Amino acid sequence: STRCCVTMSLVSPPPAATGSDEEDDSDSSTKPIRSEKKKNPVSLFQTGGEPPKEKKNKKKAPAKAAESEEETPETPQKNANKKGKGKKSKKSKEERPPSPVIEVDNLEEFVLRPAPQGVTVKCRVTRDKKGMDRGLYPTYYLHLDNDKKVFLLAGRKRKKSKTSNYLISIDPTDLSRGGENFIGKLRSNLMGTKFTVFDNGANPDRANADWSNVRQELSAVIYETNVLGFKGPRKMTVIIPGMNADNERVPIRPRNDNDGLLMRWQNKNMDNVIELHNKAPVWNDDTQSYVLNFHGRVTHASVKNFQIVHSSDPDYIVMQFGRVADDAFTMDYNYPLCAVQAFAIALSSFDGKLACE
């Protein structure tokens, strides 16, 4: 099997022994994730169709959230560090900083709700290739990455679809379009380079009078093909709805395909829409590879590893995804993303047209 992509390293320092490398990682990440205090990240995502004057006053309100955000990573990181020192086992499971305590009261509400401000929701994605289709239609499972391994979502590619179409469900055993556990879907264009994420609302053809039942677009993902095909680091653009003054997602319910997130982005009509990008990895001469620092959450080099950021604050990681074993990945997301958005963005990176392991 020819590898079509340059693999990506995970951390900036050149590889040392696993134990010390892990410690190195955790140490660097006990520092606040953002080196200098920039504007509160919450304000980056606020659109809400308000006049700019109002927006400025709003920025100061959630300052507490920003502080807690800098503090939260420390606790899990510290015990991860102890574990690393005590047991230098090769099991990445034991060395990965776990997720903070997250209460999942109502699963359906939780997976569509933005991450709490200042808390990184740390998850694990596993890929199951067992069964008849030998890897053509694997099922992907999302769990919280903590002791309880709380199940959040399952996703699977539909078989009879002209383009890639993944169903996302809140029941690991029911991945049917008609079932009541269907929570969202990810659909690609014919080229397999652009994806749209929908919730479980109705198709615009079946709209009720006030359109309140019509599906929302939760995200769009655009993969840029570069001159080398897909060699070298991928370039991703992620489009999400903005947040209103109450920190709720602005509903985007397109009436037709010309009104969706992708078309708005193409036409540079960015009202109530936020544009994010993957953080560009840096070439490292020592390791002869592209590197990104995942703070101990990613242990295997892979072209699928990525971090999503806002260009105004590249230190605030909105989402990161990376490999920890052949069929296991960590997926961490922050405000304003919800689990369905983050999981769908991760699923898009597995798609066949981008065919890169």
Side-chain angles (χ1 to χ4, degrees), residues 200-217:
N200 54 1
N203 189 305
D205 306 342
R206 292 189 284 280
N208 57 17
D210 63 355
W211 282 79
S212 59
N213 67 334
V214 170
R215 64 190 180 196
Q216 292 185 39
E217 287 196 7

Side-chain angles (χ1 to χ4, degrees), residues 324-341:
V324 290
D326 283 351
D327 288 307
F329 305 79
T330 51
M331 182 196 94
D332 302 345
Y333 67 95
N334 278 303
Y335 180 88
L337 287 194
C338 69
V340 171
Q341 284 169 311

Side-chain angles (χ1 to χ4, degrees), residues 34 38-45 58-66 69 117 313:
R34 278 165 292 126
K38 298 192 183 174
K39 53 182 168 181
N40 175 3
V42 171
S43 64
L44 298 172
F45 307 106
K58 292 281 187 287
K59 279 183 191 172
K60 291 178 185 167
K64 278 185 188 158
E69 184 193 2
Q117 290 173 29
D313 186 355

Side-chain angles (χ1 to χ4, degrees), residues 133-148:
D133 307 311
R134 276 164 311 178
L136 280 176
Y137 301 98
T139 306
Y140 299 91
Y141 299 103
L142 181 71
H143 291 82
L144 281 180
D145 194 7
N146 56 17
D147 295 343
K148 291 184 181 160

Side-chain angles (χ1 to χ4, degrees), residues 98-147:
S99 183
V101 176
I102 305 239
E103 291 301 323
V104 181
D105 33 10
N106 173 329
L107 185 55
E108 185 171 356
E109 278 175 24
F110 176 84
V111 295
L112 288 168
R113 195 166 56 219
Q117 290 173 29
V119 176
T120 301
V121 183
K122 297 179 178 179
C123 307
R124 185 180 172 88
V125 175
T126 43
R127 173 170 58 181
D128 181 5
K129 293 179 177 170
K130 295 188 201 74
M132 296 286 287
D133 307 311
R134 276 164 311 178
L136 280 176
Y137 301 98
T139 306
Y140 299 91
Y141 299 103
L142 181 71
H143 291 82
L144 281 180
D145 194 7
N146 56 17
D147 295 343

Side-chain angles (χ1 to χ4, degrees), residues 46-273:
Q46 233 174 39
T47 56
E50 300 162 352
K53 269 184 194 166
E54 273 191 59
K55 253 203 236 171
K56 278 183 187 164
N57 309 339
K58 292 281 187 287
K59 279 183 191 172
K60 291 178 185 167
K64 278 185 188 158
E67 287 162 21
S68 66
E69 184 193 2
E70 294 189 343
E71 289 158 17
T72 6
E74 291 195 16
T75 355
Q77 295 290 5
K78 276 182 192 160
N79 45 19
N81 217 356
K82 278 181 205 154
K83 282 184 189 168
K85 283 177 188 162
K87 276 190 192 172
K88 291 198 180 173
S89 81
K90 285 180 185 164
K91 283 186 189 166
S92 53
K93 240 197 291 189
E94 303 195 289
E95 292 158 350
R96 265 200 333 277
S99 183
V101 176
I102 305 239
E103 291 301 323
V104 181
D105 33 10
N106 173 329
L107 185 55
E108 185 171 356
E109 278 175 24
F110 176 84
V111 295
L112 288 168
R113 195 166 56 219
Q117 290 173 29
V119 176
T120 301
V121 183
K122 297 179 178 179
C123 307
R124 185 180 172 88
V125 175
T126 43
R127 173 170 58 181
D128 181 5
K129 293 179 177 170
K130 295 188 201 74
M132 296 286 287
D133 307 311
R134 276 164 311 178
L136 280 176
Y137 301 98
T139 306
Y140 299 91
Y141 299 103
L142 181 71
H143 291 82
L144 281 180
D145 194 7
N146 56 17
D147 295 343
K148 291 184 181 160
K149 306 271 181 288
V150 179
F151 167 80
L152 297 178
L153 293 165
R156 186 176 180 183
K157 198 185 229 181
R158 295 180 75 178
K159 294 182 183 169
K160 295 189 173 78
S161 211
K162 291 189 194 75
T163 62
S164 294
N165 200 325
Y166 292 80
L167 281 185
I168 299 172
S169 167
I170 48 172
D171 182 334
T173 60
D174 172 20
L175 283 146
S176 61
R177 174 70 180 82
E180 54 188 42
N181 296 303
F182 169 69
I183 194 86
K185 73 171 184 177
L186 169 76
R187 187 180 74 193
S188 88
N189 64 349
L190 279 167
M191 290 280 294
T193 52
K194 293 176 182 166
F195 295 80
T196 305
V197 184
F198 301 94
D199 71 1
N200 54 1
N203 189 305
D205 306 342
R206 292 189 284 280
N208 57 17
D210 63 355
W211 282 79
S212 59
N213 67 334
V214 170
R215 64 190 180 196
Q216 292 185 39
E217 287 196 7
L218 299 178
S219 178
V221 190
I222 301 108
Y223 288 89
E224 200 180 300
T225 44
N226 50 29
V227 190
L228 307 163
F230 282 108
K231 285 196 173 74
R234 293 178 182 176
K235 283 194 174 168
M236 295 166 73
T237 301
V238 174
I239 312 296
I240 57 170
M243 307 299 277
N244 66 19
D246 297 325
N247 298 318
E248 292 163 349
R249 197 181 304 112
V250 176
I252 294 198
R253 292 193 169 92
R255 300 187 170 226
N256 55 50
D257 287 343
N258 296 324
D259 183 31
L261 288 171
L262 285 170
M263 285 309 285
R264 292 182 188 204
W265 174 76
Q266 270 166 261
N267 299 330
K268 300 193 166 44
N269 165 19
M270 300 298 281
D271 290 348
N272 290 332
V273 173

